[in-house]
Amino acid sequence: MGGFFGTVSQGQCTADLYYGTDYQSHLGTSRGGMATFDHEQGFFRSIHNLQNTYFRTRFEPELEKFIGKSGIGVISDTDAQPMLMNCHLGRFAIVTVAKINNLEGLADEMLQKNMHLSEFSSGRINPTELVGLLIIQGKDFVDGIENVFRSIKGSCSMLLLTEDGVIAARDSWGRTPIVV
């Protein structure tokens, strides 16, 4: 089980993002990641392995690089996230908490459509990248998220950091809660 955190602020969001994501670290211990967006500097993302150390020791030295009024963070059992994507919908970062039972089948369908999968964690498909690819098949973010829920068998909650803010989408079955 993993956990995620998102924030949108009037001022810099770094401290809230850092402590909010760190609070999730009891949920998983393999990977941690954060991304922020600033209209002048764009996206900044960092991902670290947490298997032999704590979240704070990995992220504290680079906190000054996280600039922006919005950000997302994640603690994951297995997968490197957040993922950064650029497509017809715009640029965005995505984090998920997901258990996708038909992951391999969906990956095969995408490969047959001449799409690609580039992120592999431990020699397997990164479910967050797959969810991002399902989103970009939509005409907008809402349509793309609905495509995720129509396509997957299992559970997926997500946060998207866009140039306009944060989008939160809870698992359509309600298995993983999101507090706003």
Side-chain angles (χ1 to χ4, degrees), residues 149-166:
F149 294 145
R150 280 190 306 270
S151 301
I152 68 166
K153 293 186 180 12
S155 169
C156 179
S157 290
M158 66 190 87
L159 293 177
L160 279 68
L161 174 62
T162 72
E163 295 173 350
D164 297 320
V166 174

Side-chain angles (χ1 to χ4, degrees), residues 91-108:
R91 298 178 300 162
F92 67 98
I94 180 173
V95 295
T96 65
V97 173
K99 172 68 172 121
I100 302 173
N101 298 323
N102 60 334
L103 186 71
E104 297 291 332
L106 289 171
D108 290 342

